[in-house]
Amino acid sequence: MDALLLRSLTPSVLAVLVRRGAGFAAAEDAVQDALVEALRVWPDDPPRDAKGWLVTVAWRKFLDATRSDTARRRREDRVDEEPAPGPASAVDDTLQLYFLCAHPSLTSASAVALTLRAVGGLTTRQIARAYLVPEATMAQRISRAKRTVSGVRFDRPGDVATVLRVLYLVFNEGYSGDVDLAAEAIRLTRQLAAAIDHPEVAGLLALMLLHHARRAARTAPDGGLVPLAEQDRGRWDTRAIAEGVAVLQAALARDRLGEFQAQAAIAALHADAPEAAETDWVQIVEWYDELLRLTDSPVVRLNRAVAVGEADGPRAGLAALAELDDSLPRHTAAAAYLHERDGDLATAARLYAEAAHKATHLGERDHLTRQAARLNTRRRQ
């Protein structure tokens, strides 16, 4: 049985139950029960209509749970509403569900966390890492969000900004791991761009296309990560780059700059350089300044410090890095890179090894370990 098929169908099935009147928490429980049943039954008896099967079983699971908590009369009313088994609608409800999860009763941060967990398929640990908070803190945030919307009618969709944030984080997780997750984020953002004339929607789509265009070159044959400066640019997807640049230019022309447009502009400058040495780092630093004005994000400050190191020299980059909290993810790796650029191989090797120890992604950990070993070998020669 294809686990990816189950994951891809989950949002649509959840949306159907919510639309029929199930509270979000109850609908999520019912869908999970249906997935467990599918894992048990499908290997020996696969259904002809997978979505229809899941909708039918999930609705019955929901009704069974409702019967145990409600009066007999209400139970009988709900039983009468049970749909007959049969083919389900082929309409893709995923994007609608993203909007419904961004409910006005939730804060933006809670809505994003809930949607990433319930619809995006991310684990609590992945979400916590994206938000730079402990896993226990994020688990509590998601639990509170579920309690807040439990029993609420999802008839007031949330705002575009929250949905964009969710799509961005889903793409980031997919970009560093699951290809299908990144592709799904792009697909949904295309749908959103077709439905809503908004420059930040276009900015996010451009950003995704420009980053995804480099995917084939990001991994070596042995599975190791290849840094941007060392990638074979002949393997970049020029069609995706051209589309991303065109989408970005149209968005920037509207003079309503947002953070995703600024990030896409940085990605476009990288894509525009035929070789790493020809990258316009001065202009990239200027775009990071714009991005800081919009977000004041510590991660943006970290990336800007590295860009300053490229534009003005490694010591300038190290000076910018020294102003930041050294507990930031990838702070140690950035310091290692800048020290290597400055010729301090001993410090760089030590910091690469330290960064590898801190890394949470296996591919990143292996890359940093190899960097440390490479410098140690050079020092012994």
Side-chain angles (χ1 to χ4, degrees):
M1 181 179 53
D2 192 344
L4 286 176
L5 173 62
L6 281 178
R7 180 196 290 180
S8 66
L9 290 174
T10 298
S12 294
V13 176
L14 185 56
V16 171
L17 266 66
V18 169
R19 196 163 54 239
R20 287 176 177 170
F24 185 87
E28 186 183 18
D29 289 342
V31 172
Q32 292 301 319
D33 288 342
L35 294 177
V36 171
E37 187 72 7
L39 290 170
R40 186 182 68 83
V41 173
W42 285 14
D44 297 324
D45 186 20
R48 285 180 294 179
D49 177 14
K51 179 181 174 182
W53 189 98
L54 284 171
V55 168
T56 299
V57 173
W59 185 252
R60 286 174 176 166
K61 296 288 185 182
F62 166 70
L63 292 179
D64 288 344
T66 301
R67 290 188 186 102
S68 67
D69 298 326
T70 60
R72 180 180 180 83
R73 183 173 180 178
R74 180 56 181 154
R75 292 202 307 267
E76 292 174 350
D77 290 342
R78 284 194 177 272
V79 169
D80 291 340
E81 296 169 8
E82 180 180 341
S89 169
V91 175
D92 183 356
D93 300 300
T94 308
L95 190 57
Q96 179 192 14
L97 191 57
Y98 272 58
F99 273 96
L100 292 176
C101 285
H103 198 271
S105 63
L106 296 173
T107 64
S108 176
S110 295
V112 170
L114 177 63
T115 314
L116 287 171
R117 184 70 186 91
V119 188
L122 273 62
T123 65
T124 303
R125 176 174 297 179
Q126 289 172 317
I127 302 168
R129 188 172 66 223
Y131 272 87
L132 309 182
V133 300
E135 184 176 353
T137 300
M138 183 53 65
Q140 291 174 355
R141 183 181 298 177
I142 294 172
S143 294
R144 285 196 300 270
K146 286 184 177 180
R147 288 196 299 270
T148 299
V149 300
S150 180
V152 170
R153 290 286 298 183
F154 282 77
D155 53 0
R156 291 187 299 154
D159 67 343
V160 175
T162 300
V163 174
L164 289 179
R165 178 63 51 190
V166 173
L167 290 170
Y168 173 68
L169 292 175
V170 169
F171 176 81
N172 279 351
E173 282 298 327
Y175 188 63
S176 61
D178 189 336
V179 178
D180 294 299
L181 201 59
E184 173 69 357
I186 293 174
R187 184 184 71 84
L188 293 173
T189 306
R190 284 190 186 279
Q191 286 187 8
L192 189 57
I196 300 177
D197 184 17
H198 192 295
E200 270 295 81
V201 176
L204 179 58
L205 178 58
L207 176 64
M208 289 179 175
L209 290 170
L210 290 164
H211 277 299
H212 206 60
R214 303 200 297 257
R215 187 175 188 97
R218 291 182 71 245
T219 308
D222 62 359
L225 292 180
V226 180
L228 177 60
E230 300 173 18
Q231 289 178 15
D232 178 1
R233 301 188 176 213
R235 299 184 65 197
W236 289 0
D237 185 343
T238 55
R239 182 179 299 178
I241 290 173
E243 181 185 1
V245 169
V247 171
L248 174 63
Q249 288 175 338
L252 292 176
R254 301 178 64 175
D255 198 23
R256 290 169 53 194
L257 184 64
E259 62 173 299
F260 293 124
Q261 295 169 71
Q263 288 189 57
I266 293 169
L269 286 168
H270 284 296
D272 188 53
E275 297 180 5
E278 299 179 48
T279 304
D280 189 344
W281 286 105
V282 172
Q283 194 173 169
I284 286 176
V285 171
E286 292 174 354
W287 274 110
Y288 272 123
D289 289 337
E290 288 289 340
L291 194 52
L292 278 176
R293 182 179 61 80
L294 293 165
T295 67
D296 195 28
S297 161
V299 175
V300 173
R301 289 190 180 277
L302 178 68
N303 292 334
R304 180 188 179 278
V306 176
V308 167
E310 299 286 0
D312 300 329
R315 295 193 179 182
L318 286 167
L321 198 64
E323 299 175 2
L324 306 179
D325 185 347
D326 61 9
S327 67
L328 275 173
R330 296 188 173 89
H331 184 285
T332 307
Y337 172 75
L338 291 170
H339 276 290
E340 181 184 356
R341 288 280 318 280
D342 195 37
D344 187 352
L345 301 189
T347 300
R350 175 178 59 79
L351 290 173
Y352 274 130
E354 185 180 331
H357 180 72
K358 295 178 179 178
T360 57
H361 185 272
L362 181 59
E364 182 179 355
R365 185 184 309 150
D366 289 344
H367 169 70
L368 293 168
T369 301
R370 291 175 185 175
Q371 294 293 80
R374 174 180 59 82
L375 293 187
N376 285 325
T377 300
R378 281 181 57 186
R379 291 172 56 219
R380 289 193 294 268
Q381 290 175 346

